[in-house]
Amino acid sequence: MDEACVILTKRIKISGVVQGVGFRPFIYRMAKQFELVGEVSNSSSGVDIVVSGVQCNVDNFIEDIPQKIPPLAHISSISVSSVLPTLVDFKNFSIVKSRESRESGAIIPPDISTCDACLDDVSDSKNRRYRYPFTNCTNCGPRYTILMDVPYDRKKTSMKSFRMCSLCQTEYSDPGDRRFHAQPNACPTCGPSLCLTDSDGNPIESENQIAKVSGLIREGNIIAIKGIGGFHLTVDATNNAVVEQLRKRKHREDKPFAVMSSSLDNIRSYAFVRKVEAATLSGIQRPIVLLGKVKNYPIAKAVSPNNSHIGVMLPYTPLHNLLFSEGKFLALVMTSANLSGEPIITTNQDALKYLNKIADYFLMHNRDILTRSDDSVLKYYAGSTRIIRRSRGYVPLPIDITYNQSTVLACGAEKKNTICLTRNKTAFMSQHIGNLQSKSGYNFFLETIDHMCNVLKVQPDLIACDYHPDYMSTRYVSELKSVKVVKVQHHHAHIVACTVENKVSDPVIGLAFDGTGLGDDNTIWGGEVLISSYSSYNRVGCLEPVPMPGSSMAIYEPWRMAVSYLYKAFGMSLLEIPLPILVCLKKRDITMLISMIRQKINTPYTSSLGRFFDGIAAIVGIRNKVSFEGQSAMELESLVTPGIDEKYSFDIASNKKFTLTASPIVEGVVYDVLKGVYKGVIAAKFHNTIISMFVEVCLLLKKCYNVKHVALSGGVFQNSVLTDGIKHNLEKHDFKVLIHRLVPCNDGGISLGQAIVAQHSM
Ligand code: ZN
Ligand code: ZN
Ligand code: FE
């Protein structure tokens, strides 16, 4: 018999993101194409396939699967085994009913931007979904945000209250249709609908609500628009007066707003878009991408003041697309609708209750958001696209870790909080939860823990949290009874988050640079050099600790750090230095601060690099007060004049550990300021100095420890000049440099590190 005619039967098991993404119909179509018989079904760990047919067709079928998978699918593993043909007898190929299982190993897909086919439906006047803002299919639409439980099925989503009409039902049941088993499938007859109201919630009737809203935006109104993971506040991004009005009403002084534009071409009129950035912007997740501004920038100044970058995204729902096709806006501000320090608002009631003094009108709908999710934020720097805020589009996709028996719940930090759950070889990080200091932020944290444990079907046997006793996440853990708890040092967690995502388990030199984290000596750390493994760390170096007069007040008033550094460098003679910052401060304030430092009143010590940046920015004259943490460091980075090689002299003291002293740098900066050197040059020299100083320490450590890798973590590494420079210089000395890509380097990444440290400390 000709070999090609041998009939064989194979079982193929696939795991990964293969449910709720059109995987079974895809297999169905492929099997038909290769004239195979058999069946496909969802299983507890993914998808099970049995196929029978001519050998070469079976082989080609198996080979084609990973290459042709649907856009939202992601395969983690494929296993193929032979089945005795006598055991099966198929007449055709079919999709068989899922076997429901308590143990869910399948992965829930994230929310995905509208696909091109759906956009075609929406813009085709003959299509029954013409101009329908809730159009979606198996390849696109909301997922995680409308899900209340698994398995992912319509009755377990917020679409359960909408009964499909017969046309939608037909699509839903037809394996050949793009909407086969698309759980949020809907049309104007049976699905969710829009509702426009004024700020008191009175409905505004209109033939074309989206055209009406476009007009209102044009006239300079602020609109609250319900989206996928929460409400946005929307204004015309070219109208400076209304952007300022929004800042005033939202009590948000300078923190940048993100904008949305309808096309890459429009974005290019105000920002530089590199090829990789264009790919990220138009990827299925549609995140916010931080882009460099062009000269003669046509966007309102108030959108991202004193910042060389602007956060930009492309439309990701049919509603966004319709808004732009009606309004022809160059760009709209689309900022998360929340009250300062609180989570994004998701319900119509809360929007009307809490935003009625901010928004003039509300564009809402009746599809409930069950899980809130902010827009994700990414930035391309130091050679890769890196996540800064991980939420919509990325959550709840897993992160690979090494197998571990214990199931860990890691509770994260205090601000930019995320939580992390581990299950076998995967870690699931939550969406950005944010600040836990507000009641609603803390409730969001509690809800997220419950929800994730439920949908992942895990029961943690180990809990990890930060050292800091006052973090709300730590307090939560201390109230839990009868669980094993591991407290993890903040900067150790940062470094391990970085090494684990880079799949390095050997000990590394860790540079952990951030604003604040409690050290094991009860001082505030943040400019740390650690020799770090998954289970332990050794603090082998740090920035010289300095007084932080006023404690956390110094975070928002960087002039305090400036005085502290100046006092350290010059003593009382600082009062005679004619620095602009000292001239504009009241002498009384300065001397009071100095006496606080001397008498150690409300003045902890800190080795934080974030605070050093703040202090230098104030000395340079950038600002004495900030409205959000890290603002002055960001502005200092934005000022850097390119092409400057000079640096300030620095000193590394060695006594058991390396201490990097700040005073010579402070003296150098002061001298330049007095000479009238341009701020951008001082900023460049300062960055160069920090880079050289820490690279020098790494070289000294290389001699004592046989370590090849340097891991960079902590919020300060959002600074691209610093990250680029440290990476470049370390690589010149044959170090392998590990930097975050999939997980934020800021406190949003802490939970992953905590989970791994907890597992390895047992
Ligand atoms: Zn679609
Ligand atoms: Zn319908
Ligand atoms: Fe941190």
Side-chain angles (χ1 to χ4, degrees):
M1 198 159 70
D2 184 353
E3 202 186 85
C5 295
V6 175
I7 300 289
L8 69 170
T9 306
K10 298 267 184 190
R11 159 162 281 133
I12 305 145
K13 285 174 180 274
I14 303 179
S15 66
V17 184
V18 289
Q19 295 185 9
V21 292
F23 206 84
R24 288 171 304 157
F26 152 72
I27 292 296
Y28 174 89
R29 285 191 297 273
M30 290 254 298
K32 293 268 169 196
Q33 185 195 325
F34 286 109
E35 297 171 343
L36 304 176
V37 296
E39 61 177 37
V40 56
S41 63
N42 281 345
S43 71
S44 61
S45 59
V47 162
D48 264 7
I49 307 162
V50 180
V51 285
S52 193
V54 181
Q55 178 168 4
C56 62
N57 282 354
V58 172
D59 290 346
N60 289 339
F61 169 79
I62 294 170
E63 209 180 294
D64 271 14
I65 292 173
Q67 280 153 36
K68 295 186 175 166
I69 54 167
L72 307 193
H74 174 81
I75 294 179
S76 339
S77 73
I78 299 188
S79 72
V80 182
S81 56
S82 293
V83 180
L84 281 179
T86 48
L87 292 181
V88 285
D89 179 24
F90 296 109
K91 298 276 176 291
N92 52 20
F93 194 89
S94 55
I95 297 173
V96 294
K97 212 170 159 54
S98 316
R99 277 164 275 153
E100 267 203 38
S101 152
R102 256 329 264 175
E103 278 299 304
S104 170
I107 294 159
I108 305 143
D111 305 289
I112 295 300
S113 63
T114 310
C115 73
D116 289 344
C118 283
L119 285 182
D120 287 346
D121 290 349
V122 174
S123 54
D124 173 5
S125 61
K126 290 183 198 75
N127 192 291
R128 68 192 190 92
R129 289 190 177 83
Y130 179 54
R131 304 186 55 82
Y132 183 55
F134 303 93
T135 302
N136 65 79
C137 73
T138 330
N139 301 325
C140 75
R143 297 283 186 279
Y144 191 55
T145 51
I146 58 166
L147 172 110
M148 58 184 120
D149 202 355
V150 288
Y152 174 62
D153 220 346
R154 186 171 176 109
K155 62 178 187 294
K156 291 185 172 164
T157 71
S158 60
M159 285 302 292
K160 72 164 191 221
S161 49
F162 301 95
R163 234 189 106 122
M164 272 187 275
C165 67
S166 62
L167 286 173
C168 287
Q169 186 65 53
T170 309
E171 295 166 337
Y172 184 86
S173 320
D174 175 4
D177 195 281
R178 204 173 87 240
R179 296 193 167 92
F180 175 71
H181 281 202
Q183 306 304 346
N185 188 25
C187 77
T189 316
C190 67
S193 53
L194 288 176
C195 146
L196 173 65
T197 76
D198 65 13
S199 59
D200 294 322
N202 302 311
I204 294 171
E205 296 305 329
S206 169
E207 279 278 292
N208 181 346
Q209 283 161 316
I210 292 168
K212 175 83 186 165
V213 169
S214 300
L216 291 169
I217 295 173
R218 277 247 170 275
E219 289 160 22
N221 290 290
I222 300 173
I223 321 287
I225 300 180
K226 188 174 181 180
I228 294 283
F231 276 76
H232 278 127
L233 288 165
T234 306
V235 299
D236 181 350
T238 58
N239 179 341
N240 203 58
V242 66
V243 178
E244 267 170 5
Q245 180 71 254
L246 175 61
R247 287 204 175 277
K248 228 199 214 139
R249 291 194 199 166
K250 213 177 172 242
H251 304 293
R252 175 153 151 158
E253 258 172 69
D254 311 289
K255 204 171 175 183
F257 287 140
V259 301
M260 182 183 276
S261 281
S262 62
S263 69
L264 289 171
D265 276 345
N266 281 349
I267 296 172
R268 286 195 181 95
S269 75
Y270 59 86
F272 296 107
V273 187
R274 286 173 278 202
K275 224 174 165 185
V276 277
E277 291 164 335
T280 310
L281 281 164
S282 36
I284 54 173
Q285 298 89 352
R286 295 287 160 100
I288 294 170
V289 180
L290 302 179
L291 302 171
K293 295 174 182 173
V294 301
K295 268 194 186 144
N296 302 324
Y297 164 87
I299 302 293
K301 257 211 167 75
V303 168
S304 87
N306 303 318
N307 196 319
S308 55
H309 285 70
I310 179 170
V312 184
M313 60 187 149
L314 286 168
Y316 57 86
T317 68
L319 176 63
H320 297 152
N321 282 285
L322 291 165
L323 208 53
F324 278 99
S325 70
E326 281 297 341
K328 308 272 180 270
F329 305 101
L330 174 63
L332 293 174
V333 165
M334 283 281 197
T335 187
S336 296
N338 57 347
L339 300 178
S340 178
E342 296 197 8
I344 187 169
I345 285 171
T346 54
T347 68
N348 296 353
Q349 296 91 309
D350 281 354
L352 288 167
K353 187 167 158 195
Y354 297 112
L355 301 175
N356 72 338
K357 296 275 186 299
I358 301 177
D360 301 303
Y361 297 93
F362 291 78
L363 184 59
M364 302 184 283
H365 60 71
N366 54 352
R367 183 179 69 199
D368 290 340
I369 297 168
L370 300 181
T371 300
R372 55 161 79 72
S373 193
D374 288 86
D375 296 315
S376 294
V377 181
L378 287 87
K379 185 180 174 187
Y380 178 85
Y381 64 102
S384 271
T385 304
R386 307 180 189 281
I387 256 187
I388 289 173
R389 182 167 72 195
R390 189 173 181 272
S391 280
R392 179 184 52 75
Y394 297 88
V395 171
L397 291 181
I399 289 159
D400 296 339
I401 55 173
T402 49
Y403 178 79
N404 202 286
Q405 279 191 320
S406 37
T407 300
V408 189
L409 163 64
C411 297
E414 177 83 335
K415 287 179 177 172
K416 299 191 167 72
N417 178 279
T418 63
I419 62 150
C420 177
L421 276 166
T422 66
R423 187 177 71 186
N424 304 330
K425 282 163 91 171
T426 42
F428 296 88
M429 290 175 77
S430 72
Q431 69 275 43
H432 166 86
I433 295 172
N435 193 337
L436 302 189
Q437 285 160 339
S438 70
K439 191 164 172 257
S440 52
Y442 185 65
N443 286 338
F444 181 20
F445 166 79
L446 297 179
E447 282 162 24
T448 307
I449 292 174
D450 275 353
H451 183 67
M452 284 186 59
C453 288
N454 181 38
V455 296
L456 295 169
K457 303 291 172 222
V458 293
Q459 194 62 51
D461 45 41
L462 196 56
I463 310 246
C465 65
D466 197 274
Y467 269 7
H468 204 302
D470 297 333
Y471 280 6
M472 289 307 290
S473 49
T474 309
R475 286 193 187 172
Y476 162 79
V477 174
S478 61
E479 280 162 21
L480 295 175
K481 303 255 154 44
S482 68
V483 280
K484 275 187 269 178
V485 173
V486 179
K487 292 198 172 185
V488 182
Q489 200 281 322
H490 189 92
H491 302 92
H492 186 210
H494 267 309
I495 296 302
V496 172
C498 180
T499 51
V500 77
E501 89 148 274
N502 283 287
K503 301 192 192 313
V504 170
S505 53
D506 296 333
V508 300
I509 298 172
L511 301 183
F513 298 168
D514 65 358
T516 333
L518 187 61
D520 55 26
D521 59 357
N522 270 324
T523 67
I524 298 166
W525 292 7
E528 310 309 311
V529 187
L530 311 177
I531 297 288
S532 163
S533 69
Y534 287 172
S535 58
S536 64
Y537 68 92
N538 180 8
R539 189 192 193 203
V540 289
C542 69
L543 202 64
E544 177 188 28
V546 295
M548 191 176 163
S551 194
S552 60
M553 263 169 93
I555 298 174
Y556 293 94
E557 297 184 7
W559 68 271
R560 290 167 180 265
M561 290 313 299
V563 171
S564 178
Y565 277 108
L566 290 167
Y567 180 66
K568 177 117 204 162
F570 301 99
M572 283 315 276
S573 58
L574 84 94
L575 291 166
E576 276 110 65
I577 307 173
L579 269 180
I581 174 188
L582 296 173
V583 174
C584 75
L585 288 171
K586 286 196 194 96
K587 196 172 171 195
R588 240 194 73 222
D589 290 342
I590 301 173
T591 49
M592 209 176 71
L593 211 70
I594 293 172
S595 66
M596 277 176 79
I597 293 171
R598 282 174 153 177
Q599 295 168 44
K600 300 195 165 93
I601 301 165
N602 191 20
T603 299
Y605 270 70
T606 184
S607 54
S608 160
L609 187 61
R611 294 294 87 76
F612 193 24
F613 266 86
D614 282 353
I616 294 295
I619 293 170
V620 171
I622 291 177
R623 60 174 59 247
N624 286 349
K625 289 189 180 174
V626 296
S627 63
F628 60 95
E629 191 175 353
Q631 180 180 9
S632 51
M634 215 160 77
E635 291 175 3
L636 195 67
E637 181 197 348
S638 284
L639 275 176
V640 168
T641 305
I644 306 282
D645 293 327
E646 286 165 85
K647 55 183 177 252
Y648 299 108
S649 54
F650 56 83
D651 189 31
I652 300 172
S654 167
N655 173 20
K656 284 187 195 151
K657 68 170 194 283
F658 297 111
T659 306
L660 298 83
T661 47
S663 292
I665 306 173
V666 175
E667 284 164 24
V669 171
V670 167
Y671 188 66
D672 273 355
V673 174
L674 294 177
K675 266 200 314 191
V677 175
Y678 173 61
K679 284 177 188 171
V681 174
I682 301 178
K685 286 171 74 175
F686 178 67
H687 278 79
N688 294 344
T689 314
I690 298 295
I691 293 163
S692 302
M693 189 159 76
F694 281 98
V695 169
E696 185 73 44
V697 171
C698 290
L699 288 170
L700 292 168
L701 286 168
K702 203 182 193 177
K703 289 183 190 151
C704 330
Y705 300 86
N706 185 23
V707 178
K708 280 196 279 311
H709 291 99
V710 182
L712 314 182
S713 190
V716 170
F717 284 108
Q718 277 168 234
N719 181 321
S720 51
V721 175
L722 190 74
T723 311
D724 252 326
I726 289 186
K727 175 175 185 276
H728 182 76
N729 283 284
L730 285 173
E731 283 172 349
K732 272 206 303 213
H733 292 102
D734 292 329
F735 279 109
K736 291 203 166 65
V737 183
L738 311 176
I739 312 178
H740 289 278
R741 278 182 309 110
L742 312 172
V743 172
C745 65
N746 56 47
D747 283 6
I750 286 279
S751 60
L752 177 65
Q754 289 175 341
I756 304 301
V757 173
Q759 282 183 338
H760 286 83
S761 65
M762 291 320 279

